[in-house]
């Protein structure tokens, strides 16, 4: 799983840069200040958790196979899709009801960090 998470983390980071650049250059003046802030929050969390996924991959290279690390990696991916994805969709469509999905993604991020921490402590 280490190589898969490293690959996916790299791809998700590249995508975060593209999405962030699109927001900065293509959406300027097209979104309300509130929606632009939501979009930027999505990019910020996308990048942080893309790096988190890379961290999971690197830790997995050093530790024996761990279902905790696998869970952490998939939690980060799910979190990016649900948290950041819902913020992107909400900002671009103006459908604020999509914000109801965002906390589920946030919970996935929290679970991912907890699982990563437990995996590292158990692997020491």
């Amino acid at each position: 799983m280490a190589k898969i998470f490293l690959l996916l983390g790299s791809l998700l980071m590249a995508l975060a840069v593209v999405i962030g650049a699109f927001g900065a250059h293509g959406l300027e003046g097209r979104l309300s200040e509130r929606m632009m802030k939501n979009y930027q929050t999505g990019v910020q969390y996308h990048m942080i958790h893309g790096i988190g996924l890379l961290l999971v991959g690197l830790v997995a290279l050093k530790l024996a196979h761990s279902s905790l690390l696998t869970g952490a990696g998939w939690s980060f991916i799910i979190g990016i899709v649900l948290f950041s994805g819902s913020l992107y969709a909400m900002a671009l469509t103006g459908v604020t009801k999509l914000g109801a999905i965002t906390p589920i993604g946030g919970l996935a991020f929290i679970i991912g960090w907890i699982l990563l921490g437990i995996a590292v402590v158990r692997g020491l």
Side-chain angles (χ1 to χ4, degrees):
M1 288 303 299
K3 289 182 181 180
I4 291 172
F5 287 146
L6 289 169
L7 174 62
L8 290 175
S10 298
L11 293 173
L12 285 168
M13 286 302 298
L15 183 60
V17 172
V18 169
I19 291 171
F22 173 71
H25 302 290
L27 297 177
E28 186 178 1
R30 295 180 182 207
L31 297 180
S32 69
E33 186 176 327
R34 178 175 173 237
M35 287 300 163
M36 191 62 174
K37 186 173 180 178
N38 288 339
Y39 189 92
Q40 291 169 340
T41 299
V43 172
Q44 179 184 9
Y45 277 74
H46 184 153
M47 287 189 165
I48 291 167
H49 291 88
I51 293 169
L53 187 56
L54 292 170
L55 178 62
V56 168
L58 291 173
V59 170
L61 289 174
K62 295 292 181 185
L63 299 179
H65 174 73
S66 166
S67 60
L68 292 168
L69 287 175
T70 301
W74 287 112
S75 292
F76 288 157
I77 293 167
I78 290 166
I80 290 170
V81 170
L82 296 179
F83 185 91
S84 296
S86 66
L87 291 177
Y88 300 148
M90 183 173 56
L92 294 172
T93 66
V95 178
T96 56
K97 290 182 181 182
L98 292 168
I101 299 168
T102 310
I104 300 168
L107 180 60
F109 287 149
I110 294 166
I111 291 168
W113 288 113
I114 290 170
L115 292 175
L116 176 58
I118 294 170
V120 168
V121 168
R122 285 189 179 176
L124 296 178

